[in-house]
Amino acid sequence: MVRIAVDAMGGDHAPTEVVAGAIEAAKQGDVQIGLVGDPQVLQAELAKHDISRLPIMPVPSEGVISEGDQPALALRQKPKASIVVATGLVKKGMADGAVTMGSTGAAMATAAVVLGLMDGISRPALGGPVIGFAPRTSIIDVGTNVDCRPSQLLSFAVIGDMWARVFWNIENPTIGLLSVGAEFGKGNRQVRETSELLTKSGLNFVGNVEPNEMVKGDVDVVVADGFVGNVVMKLTEGIGQASVDLVRERLAGALPEGDIESLTQELFEKTNVVNTHGGGPLLGVKGVSVIGHGRGEREEVKRAIEQAKIWHRLGIVPKLGEALTEVRSRAGVEE
């Protein structure tokens, strides 16, 4: 069985929904859960369920690093916080991956410090599909790095290239750079300098991509800094939810309730992909760390655990390390 450490204290609905989601995942029979949290809290939540035959092991921790905490400072002040303990289990070889629905900044900082960064990576990146109309188009980064140098964006391109090769089995993924115009040279200084690096990288770089073109799925990987990527993701989610509400309101009484529910669910899944998948892997660190949507409930927790299982089995970490070294050498990037 795959061993997954779950941060039971992280997320808007922790610990109740996180514990419930972990239990649902354990029922699948192919995963062993290390449930990390305050012992008394865990005991109270687990008492609500029958786990007598499930591979769930409570792991004690002290404190939580919340969204309002400064991650680097919180790591020093809360060395036994749930996300730190969960990630530490991966580092010690006692878990194959860690899952949290808590603070993205805390998860990134903890993974970078505890697991360590791959050679050539100064910060890890979070990414994957964000638009369901183009389910095989990934955008990297979507929130972990709001300020990036061109060399970091090059690393994101390598991360995305490996994602597409390993996850989607695409032999030579196309790489695009998110910008305000498709023409070469359009964009700010960051985009222009990154274009030059990508051109020399040996990757299948096809140039700039405008946001409205992403829904077509013509490009396999779209590279952006985390500020822009997160804005794109959250705008897509917001428009999607507003569209769902409008469709449900306008069709009420005109179609059977079951048909309306089916239609609005499909629309939600196409515009709220992170919620649908439960979360995505933090890439660039030496271990599997999956970050879920903060507002995710038990079903999203279950799906996030499934993502961790998938990434462990795919062996993405060593493959990504090899690819990073090769591409950065071709592009002439030393740091």
Side-chain angles (χ1 to χ4, degrees), residues 215-280:
V215 297
K216 297 180 180 179
D218 294 337
V219 178
D220 299 314
V221 178
V222 176
V223 176
D225 63 51
F227 183 90
V228 174
N230 193 263
V231 168
V232 169
M233 180 182 71
K234 288 181 177 175
L235 178 61
T236 301
E237 291 176 343
I239 292 175
Q241 184 59 61
S243 300
V244 165
D245 295 340
L246 177 63
V247 168
R248 185 175 283 125
E249 177 186 340
R250 295 294 294 272
L251 294 182
L255 289 177
E257 187 60 34
D259 290 347
I260 296 175
E261 182 60 32
S262 176
L263 176 60
T264 53
Q265 181 62 31
E266 182 179 359
L267 181 57
F268 180 83
E269 290 178 357
K270 287 188 178 297
T271 54
N272 284 259
V273 174
V274 176
N275 236 32
T276 301
H277 287 287

Side-chain angles (χ1 to χ4, degrees), residues 7 65 71 83 87 100 102-113 115 124 144 282 285 289-291:
D7 171 14
I65 300 179
I83 182 58
T87 307
T100 183
S103 163
T104 298
M108 182 183 78
T110 302
V113 171
L115 299 178
T144 49
L282 187 62
V285 296
S289 176
V290 169
I291 303 176

Side-chain angles (χ1 to χ4, degrees), residues 9 15 55 63 115 147 154 169 178 181 187 199 201 219 225 240 258 267-268 272 280 286 291 304 310:
M9 311 303 289
L115 299 178
D147 294 300
L154 173 65
N169 199 30
L178 195 61
T199 300
S201 68
V219 178
D225 63 51
L267 181 57
F268 180 83
N272 284 259
K286 298 178 181 178
I291 303 176
I310 290 171

Side-chain angles (χ1 to χ4, degrees), residues 25-59:
K27 290 178 180 178
Q28 302 302 305
D30 62 346
V31 61
Q32 177 180 327
I33 304 292
L35 203 55
V36 182
D38 179 271
Q40 292 183 331
V41 173
L42 289 183
Q43 183 178 7
E45 289 298 328
L46 290 173
K48 302 175 184 178
H49 307 269
D50 180 9
I51 63 167
S52 57
R53 297 184 181 181
L54 295 179
I56 295 178
M57 178 181 66
V59 180

Side-chain angles (χ1 to χ4, degrees), residues 174-194:
T174 52
I175 311 292
L177 184 61
L178 195 61
S179 188
V180 295
E183 301 84 1
F184 187 84
K186 277 288 187 73
N188 56 18
R189 179 178 177 181
Q190 176 202 59
V191 169
R192 295 194 301 272
E193 293 183 359
T194 302

Side-chain angles (χ1 to χ4, degrees), residues 7 18 90-91 152 155 230 232 240 251 253 256 261 280 292 302 306 313 332:
D7 171 14
V18 178
V90 179
K91 175 66 174 180
Q152 292 170 322
S155 296
N230 193 263
V232 169
L251 294 182
E261 182 60 32
K302 177 184 174 183
E306 183 64 31
R313 287 170 173 158

